[in-house]
Amino acid sequence: MPSVLPIALGDPTTAHEPVLADEVLELLRPRAGQTVVDCTFGAGGHAQRMVEDLGLGGLYIAIDQDPDVRPFFDAFAAGAPCETRFIRANFAVALEALGQDGVRADGILMDLGISSMQVDRPERGFSYARQAPLDMRMDPDQPISAATLIADASEADLARWFREYGEERYARQIARAIVRRRAVEPITTTADLVEVVRSAVPSGALFAGGHPAKRVFQALRIVVNAELELLPHALGSAFALLAPNGVLAVISFHSLEDRIVKRFVRARAQGCICPPDMPVCGCGRTPEGELLNTRAIMPSAAEAHRNPRSRSARLRAVRKLAAA
Ligand SMILES: C[S@@+](CC[C@H](N)C(=O)[O-])C[C@H]1O[C@@H](n2cnc3c(N)ncnc32)[C@H](O)[C@@H]1O
């Protein structure tokens, strides 16, 4: 199928090469007439691969909270062989609404986090490498930006976010430097924040472990977009939306996210939880799902080399059992 995206996937400044695309396809195996829900449409990289086999009777439902993806969806929809729908919303909300509308999905994909397109647009404020307003909202209509958080959060909260969500060693020092700086002048741009981080990190550590502001930016992005908070609920809504034998596949990009996904898929596949010495099962619990991979699938060396962004990706999938 020819590329229908408005940008060439080979363009290094705006490209979004879909991560683990062959592996996702192998797990979801979309077939003619099926319904697939793509919770994180982005530039439509996965969509373009998955839609090929859905045919005239198929339905591809694309969700994304970022209005900037709309031109990508329009171009995708114009070339898609099946019916398509776009829902601009947080997937935690959209999945629940689809369930209430009686939709049943044969395949659901979540490719979590931000897209290359969002990182590469300086004005979105996701990149520590570009001078821009400190924004980081995937949904620009959401009221709290990174600048608001940096202006209002307590020193203790800032330190906790940097430590827990960024695994930043100098979390406390950076939080203190932010509080001191904002008492003198507001921190409103990516460059302001990078400068404060640099001032707080010991000079010997500035060049260890990548860009010194990398972990702080990751932590703020997670908080701004409530990424970890919404995920458990959204996974539950996605599993509920699956038709019998339907598959939910999730790609995550950091360990905290992967831990939530791992717990969720394992819990779906868990049967009886009675102590082993109980002669008869008393809990009555039966598995609702089957794990399609016991260990997370990671990108091949070739993919990691070709697309460095894929390096931290982890793919997990669960199939809903027919009797669930
Ligand atoms: C990693 S990209 C997806 C890329 C896509 N699979 C592709 O191949 O082009 C993640 C996308 O999901 C969106 N997104 C992330 N979390 C979301 C959420 N909770 N609700 C809706 N969209 C979300 C982001 O705005 C971004 O466009």
Side-chain angles (χ1 to χ4, degrees):
M1 184 177 166
S3 173
V4 292
L5 299 180
I7 53 168
L9 283 174
D11 178 349
T13 57
T14 45
H16 178 82
E17 180 180 343
V19 169
L20 292 165
D22 290 340
E23 292 81 355
V24 165
L25 217 59
E26 178 64 29
L27 289 166
L28 294 183
R29 295 175 184 263
R31 288 193 301 281
Q34 290 193 330
T35 295
V36 172
V37 178
D38 181 343
C39 300
T40 47
F41 182 77
H46 286 104
Q48 204 172 21
R49 295 284 306 276
M50 286 199 288
V51 85
E52 285 176 16
D53 295 322
L54 289 182
L56 267 182
L59 171 62
Y60 199 86
I61 302 177
I63 302 169
D64 206 295
Q65 58 186 338
D66 185 346
D68 281 2
V69 312
R70 185 67 210 218
F72 291 82
F73 173 79
D74 289 342
F76 159 78
C82 62
E83 189 188 334
T84 57
R85 261 170 83 183
F86 180 71
I87 305 174
R88 192 207 144 191
N90 195 295
F91 56 60
V93 176
L95 287 166
E96 216 170 279
L98 288 171
Q100 280 161 11
D101 286 352
V103 170
R104 284 291 162 262
D106 300 291
I108 302 182
L109 172 66
M110 288 183 184
D111 176 18
L112 299 170
I114 47 177
S115 65
S116 312
M117 184 171 66
Q118 288 164 328
V119 179
D120 291 335
R121 289 190 177 164
E123 69 276 15
R124 303 299 300 269
F126 285 107
S127 172
Y128 43 77
R130 315 277 186 100
Q131 160 74 305
L134 198 52
D135 191 315
M136 301 194 195
R137 289 171 295 177
M138 291 189 214
D139 172 0
D141 295 335
Q142 189 256 106
I144 313 276
S145 69
T148 320
L149 282 182
I150 286 286
D152 297 340
S154 68
E155 187 176 324
D157 277 346
L158 289 168
R160 184 172 56 79
W161 296 336
F162 300 156
R163 192 177 51 248
E164 285 179 14
Y165 302 150
E167 295 173 76
E168 171 57 60
R169 192 170 163 200
Y170 301 102
R172 216 163 28 83
Q173 290 88 328
I174 295 169
R176 188 173 315 140
I178 287 172
V179 170
R180 282 195 184 146
R181 177 66 63 88
R182 78 186 182 194
V184 181
E185 56 184 343
I187 299 166
T188 57
T189 68
T190 51
D192 292 344
L193 181 59
V194 169
E195 196 208 315
V196 180
V197 172
R198 280 189 195 281
S199 74
V201 172
S203 50
L206 275 177
F207 302 102
H211 193 287
K214 186 170 106 178
R215 291 167 290 279
V216 165
F217 271 63
Q218 172 181 296
L220 279 176
R221 194 203 88 203
I222 289 173
V223 180
V224 167
N225 296 290
E227 291 176 37
L228 298 177
E229 237 167 278
L230 296 173
L231 188 55
H233 176 72
L235 289 169
S237 303
F239 194 77
L241 199 69
L242 286 176
N245 293 315
V247 173
L248 167 65
V250 186
I251 304 173
S252 59
F253 288 88
H254 55 80
S255 54
L256 297 169
E257 224 169 40
D258 183 51
R259 197 176 310 154
I260 294 173
V261 178
K262 181 165 80 178
R263 280 199 189 135
F264 179 84
V265 295
R266 287 196 176 164
R268 302 285 78 65
Q270 169 126 52
C272 170
I273 50 169
C274 295
D277 55 353
M278 284 263 289
V280 196
C281 169
C283 72
R285 192 179 158 135
T286 54
E288 309 167 90
E290 176 201 6
L291 289 184
L292 295 185
N293 48 316
T294 40
R295 283 170 176 270
I297 297 173
M298 288 152 67
S300 64
E303 177 168 7
H305 179 72
R306 198 175 60 245
N307 180 13
R309 185 183 171 269
S310 72
R311 280 185 196 149
S312 54
R314 303 280 178 276
L315 168 62
R316 296 183 188 272
V318 60
R319 185 175 68 85
K320 189 176 200 167
L321 293 177

